[in-house]
Amino acid sequence: MLTEFERRFVSLLTEMICSPEVGTADIRRRRLARRTGDAAKVFSALERLGYGTFPSDMEDYFSRYQEIGILWRGDRPFSDVGGEISLPHLGDSIALGPPPWSRQGEWPEPERELYSQLRVFDKHEKGGVGSSASLRMGVEGSAPEVWFFHSSRGAVLLDIDYCEYMESLFVTRGFYGWQYLFADISFEDGRYSASGDAIARSLSYLQSTFPDSDYSDLRRRMTARGG
């Protein structure tokens, strides 16, 4: 039997592939990793291994799937809009250690230290955008921070926690770059201006395609960042 979060996520994937306004959708759903036990046991084991403190509400957003996600693109006239969600099993992802890109390139010392503490929980590899969302582990006595990494812009801290990130997936459907709406950046900055334009386009698509969702908070955040 699926948990409430797993059921909601599968429903989201079904909604995406059934929408006539979604041009292409590739779903990835690998089997349930029952061997790792339930959420409480996984987080308890990770805490014993020294990975930090995990708030109990994270258990409500725990997926037992080895991987679950979707790669999608809108239909005309929004064929330029797309998104990706790829959630590996969180316990396995944390145990795997830092992401591969943390050991690539000549990162300055502060970045190297930060990247060594990151553990990817939402990766965007199939679409070729080179981005991922990670938990920052090992911050004593506090819940893991959420960081968003882009291969050409580095990492930014998000002002949402893990549970809020997962809840945001149900609204954004994982469109590319939505995480910048929760970062301390400006779309008037040349590094992020193209992302701002793409996010505005994606929000228009979502409003047209899935009008029952509430995008008011995302639009407020867009305006606050100069978009």
Side-chain angles (χ1 to χ4, degrees):
M1 180 179 296
L2 298 181
T3 65
E4 175 63 15
F5 172 70
E6 291 164 352
R7 184 195 61 76
R8 289 181 64 202
F9 200 83
V10 170
S11 295
L12 175 68
L13 302 185
T14 302
E15 174 193 51
M16 295 295 291
I17 63 173
C18 291
S19 171
E21 306 302 323
V22 176
T24 60
D26 176 23
I27 287 181
R28 298 185 295 279
R29 183 165 61 166
R30 297 172 61 194
R31 65 183 179 84
L32 293 172
R34 300 182 186 279
R35 60 180 173 76
T36 57
D38 61 21
K41 292 180 180 178
V42 170
F43 288 129
S44 177
L46 291 171
E47 288 180 359
R48 289 197 303 272
L49 291 171
Y51 285 109
T53 303
F54 296 90
S56 59
D57 56 356
M58 285 184 65
E59 297 176 13
D60 296 333
Y61 292 89
F62 181 82
S63 170
R64 294 169 297 161
Y65 285 102
Q66 291 182 332
E67 181 184 16
I68 188 168
I70 186 171
L71 174 68
W72 62 269
R73 187 156 295 279
D75 204 357
R76 295 178 181 177
F78 289 100
S79 56
D80 57 324
V81 173
E84 186 172 3
I85 305 171
S86 181
L87 307 177
H89 187 279
L90 188 59
D92 291 346
S93 184
I94 291 175
L96 281 174
W101 46 259
S102 68
R103 299 181 291 274
Q104 299 171 356
E106 297 181 358
W107 303 110
E109 180 56 36
E111 279 83 353
R112 282 205 303 271
E113 181 178 358
L114 168 64
Y115 295 164
S116 70
Q117 298 173 328
L118 298 183
R119 303 294 186 271
V120 174
F121 68 87
D122 183 16
K123 51 188 179 179
H124 318 127
E125 300 173 338
K126 302 298 183 182
V129 298
S131 63
S132 59
S134 301
L135 293 176
R136 184 182 183 187
M137 313 305 302
V139 181
E140 192 66 31
S142 62
E145 298 171 341
V146 177
W147 288 74
F148 180 64
F149 175 84
H150 190 282
S151 58
S152 64
R153 304 185 192 107
V156 291
L157 175 65
L158 304 188
D159 65 0
I160 50 176
D161 61 22
Y162 174 82
C163 298
E164 292 168 325
Y165 183 102
M166 302 301 273
E167 196 63 42
S168 295
L169 293 177
F170 293 103
V171 180
T172 65
R173 276 80 176 176
F175 71 76
Y176 289 123
W178 70 265
Q179 293 86 351
Y180 286 126
L181 295 174
F182 296 86
D184 185 15
I185 60 98
S186 170
F187 294 125
E188 296 176 350
D189 183 329
R191 293 175 298 172
Y192 302 104
S193 57
S195 291
D197 293 341
I199 290 172
R201 178 79 169 155
S202 297
L203 286 174
S204 295
Y205 167 76
L206 289 180
Q207 186 71 65
S208 172
T209 308
F210 305 105
D212 291 339
S213 293
D214 182 2
Y215 306 105
S216 57
D217 180 59
L218 299 181
R219 292 196 177 280
R220 281 194 297 268
R221 289 175 173 275
M222 184 78 185
T223 300
R225 287 158 179 77

